[in-house]
Amino acid sequence: MTNPILSDWNTPFEIAPFAEISDDDFAPALDQAMQAHNAQIEAIASNKDPATFANTIEALEAAGEELDKVLSVFFTVAGADSNPKREELQRDFSPKLSAHFSGISSNKALFHRVADLWDRREELGLSDEQVRVLMLTHRGFVRAGAALQGDEDARMQEIKSRLASLGTSFTQNLLADERDWFMELSEDDLQGLPGFVVDAVRAAGQEKGTNGPVVTLSRSLIVPFLQFSPRRDLRETAYRAWTARGANGGITDNREIASEILKLREERANLLGYDSFADFKLETEMAQTPDRVRDLLMEVWDAAKTRADMDADILTEMMQEDGVNGPLEAWDWRYYAEKRRKAEHDLDEAALKPYLQLDRMIKAAFACANRLFGLEFAPLDVPLYHPDCRAWEVTRNGQHIAVFIGDYFARGSKRSGAWCSAMRAQAKFPADQAPVVINVCNFAKGDPALLSYDDARTLFHEFGHALHQMLSNVTYESISGTSVARDFVELPSQLYEHWLEVPEVLAEFATHAETGEPMPQDMLEKVLKAANFDQGFQTVEYVASALVDLAFHDGAAPADPMAKQAEVLASIGMPQAIGMRHATPHFAHVFAGDGYSSGYYSYMWSEVMDADAFAAFEEAGGAFDPERAKALEEHILSTGGSKEAEDLYLAFRGRLPGVEALLKGRGLIAA
């Protein structure tokens, strides 16, 4: 019987046939796909003909189609709808996949062919895009350890296999802590909570199978609880549980895992001739060196901490007026900040939230993409991996561009956070293929589902990533969409957040859930004026995490990561009442894989550009200026990794920005 994962997908737009796939299909499909891929790789490596771009690089690009199908389906469901069987499979797959790809990157005959082409690149008559793909392929082999020999080569394979297993364990431990903890609430505990929070905790209780409301560790639930609950004791309990994820002792504790990961990364970098993992990792990014990253972060830190310290004094006074003595604590900040926002901006989150309906915000994101890039979105009725998922066909001038899938609601089977991935990336070789792109979020369910302003920004952020995938227009999949430098990949997503704050967008799409009336003009003005509210807090919690990440990887691996974290926070004067956005035991960006390791700063690096890039629209004809939109698509959204990130930005803007635009945009210095 044919495995449905590996069969031809005779579905609309060749979307994975989720309804036909069972968990029992994944393991045999993976084994078969890896065998097929190995045979393809061996055929390329053992080819007796001299190496050419076609028989080596393009052959590599075309290889592994079956494996791509298996991994796209499996990792989609493993992240967004996990279960014990899928978690077991993920633990089994991690070392297998690490060994598989390590075997390819350490294949000496294959590397010899790639290196030969690189040495002869000037005489091959390649296009600019082909030269770029050749360079990236060669560099990828070298950085993976292909030039290592003997014991060093063997040790590199061991390190990569162990890192893959540790990353999987870190992720699953975090998911377990998030899934297993909840705090039951009595009816009296709901006093003071706005209706949307009450609805959310009741829905969470139903999802957990309890008889009453509960608070879970989903950010979309715990943050509003910390904002609105007048019960300081409950806020403390919830906050401590939230920040203790991955550090509760027992089998789900991540602290020893983090320590081992850092030691192995250092050893990996040393094997490749680098002084530190940060030196290795940043070499291919826009920032290039740890010093440039630290300089940016500290310039922002100084301004942010000054603002946060001033804000802390105000919030402490408010707390003392409530009769609470002692210092402002981390579980107090959001509660008093919300009261302050209401007082200073006359902006009540409970009154605002009915105007931010999920469905209307989705339409807003689509409408902005239509005005900027001419994209149209039509709902698709296709089976997906969970009933919460929705799909749309994306077209332009009647031509199919992509399939977009949205999976928006929090649930126990989904890891925390929000992300965008391509189940199939855009490419023209070996055949034209349109992307299938998915946004995954963790919003609280409701009828209708209502978002906080931060939730709405997250929706626009992830859709900016989706546009980067959907508008990609390159030949080779390896440089398609978001396959760019890590500190450039957040530019399209953070830039797209700005369109949520365009007054005419809110005026059209921020309509009341019950009355259908548009957001009143005075409320709209308050929303925009309050957009930078509490930026001292938000910037401090982010930059602290980024500085700890950098310190972990710039130099020798710390013997005790928790002690190193404390040392870094003390050295920068971390305010007592603000916690890191991601403390070490639940810092999945850094420890679930190598993606953001030594690279969490990249959100801030990209924000320097996104503030400047949106200013380009404002300096031209406004937020929907057609010439700027055309330039954005031509030089950034369609180009993937076909050129160096700095060159792409220069082509769009004509210059590189300074940090001032970011500081002004966050309201940390005067405009």
Side-chain angles (χ1 to χ4, degrees), residues 354-541:
Y355 290 97
L356 300 176
Q357 301 174 66
L358 172 61
D359 285 351
R360 296 293 294 164
M361 291 299 100
I362 293 171
K363 288 182 178 179
F366 288 176
C368 292
N370 175 259
R371 290 186 64 181
L372 290 164
F373 311 114
L375 300 180
E376 301 277 358
F377 298 82
L380 284 173
D381 184 12
V382 293
L384 297 168
Y385 61 85
H386 193 277
D388 286 345
C389 296
R390 303 152 71 178
W392 294 264
E393 182 190 5
V394 187
T395 60
R396 179 158 58 184
N397 299 324
Q399 179 183 355
H400 177 74
I401 298 294
V403 169
F404 174 68
I405 299 170
D407 179 3
Y408 294 108
F409 296 123
R411 53 181 173 266
S413 62
K414 182 189 290 186
R415 64 179 171 88
S416 62
W419 62 93
C420 173
S421 59
M423 295 192 66
R424 182 174 65 236
Q426 178 271 331
K428 299 175 184 176
F429 178 89
D432 276 326
Q433 63 182 39
V436 176
V437 186
I438 182 169
N439 276 178
V440 183
C441 300
N442 270 282
F443 303 141
K445 267 192 174 180
D447 187 19
L450 304 178
L451 306 183
S452 67
Y453 197 69
D454 187 55
D455 287 338
R457 292 180 73 157
T458 296
L459 187 149
F460 269 69
H461 178 102
E462 297 306 332
F463 194 72
H465 282 308
L467 288 172
H468 203 178
Q469 297 278 15
M470 293 188 287
L471 291 172
S472 178
N473 185 25
V474 298
T475 301
Y476 301 103
E477 186 173 335
S478 62
I479 55 169
S480 175
T482 57
S483 298
V484 299
R486 180 64 63 177
D487 50 11
F488 191 71
V489 76
E490 298 297 337
L491 170 60
S493 55
Q494 292 178 185
L495 175 59
Y496 204 66
E497 292 178 32
H498 289 273
W499 274 272
L500 175 62
E501 299 177 355
V502 174
E504 62 188 281
V505 174
L506 285 174
E508 180 177 358
F509 292 99
T511 56
H512 198 279
E514 295 179 3
T515 68
E517 293 296 315
M519 183 183 291
Q521 183 64 30
D522 63 334
M523 180 181 284
L524 190 152
E525 292 172 358
K526 291 171 187 174
V527 168
L528 296 176
K529 287 180 181 178
N532 287 324
F533 180 75
D534 214 23
Q535 278 295 330
F537 169 87
Q538 294 182 39
T539 308
V540 160
E541 65 165 4

Side-chain angles (χ1 to χ4, degrees), residues 574-621:
M574 183 72 173
Q576 173 185 319
I578 303 179
M580 295 169 62
R581 183 170 299 178
H582 304 288
T584 299
H586 54 261
F587 207 163
H589 280 78
V590 170
F591 293 107
D594 272 356
Y596 283 90
S597 56
S598 196
Y600 190 62
Y601 77 92
S602 59
Y603 290 93
M604 189 66 70
W605 191 275
S606 293
E607 189 176 342
V608 171
M609 290 181 286
D610 84 62
D612 181 67
F614 192 71
F617 280 86
E618 295 177 317
E619 292 163 9

Side-chain angles (χ1 to χ4, degrees), residues 86-160:
R86 291 170 187 173
E87 291 179 13
E88 179 186 355
L89 287 170
Q90 197 168 3
R91 289 190 293 271
D92 291 342
F93 288 179
S94 290
K96 282 186 178 181
L97 289 169
S98 175
H100 176 75
F101 289 110
S102 291
I104 295 172
S105 62
S106 62
N107 186 312
K108 304 306 180 187
L110 182 59
F111 176 57
H112 176 76
R113 293 178 71 84
V114 173
D116 174 55
L117 288 171
W118 179 243
D119 291 340
R120 296 188 291 112
R121 61 190 179 278
E122 299 292 345
E123 59 193 62
L124 298 177
L126 304 178
S127 68
D128 290 344
E129 185 176 336
Q130 289 173 327
V131 172
R132 176 74 174 170
V133 170
L134 174 57
M135 184 279 290
L136 292 172
T137 303
H138 179 259
R139 187 175 74 182
F141 270 94
V142 172
R143 288 172 61 82
L148 297 177
Q149 301 289 335
D151 291 344
E152 290 185 340
D153 186 20
R155 179 57 182 157
M156 178 64 79
Q157 310 318 312
E158 293 173 358
I159 290 173
K160 288 193 283 189

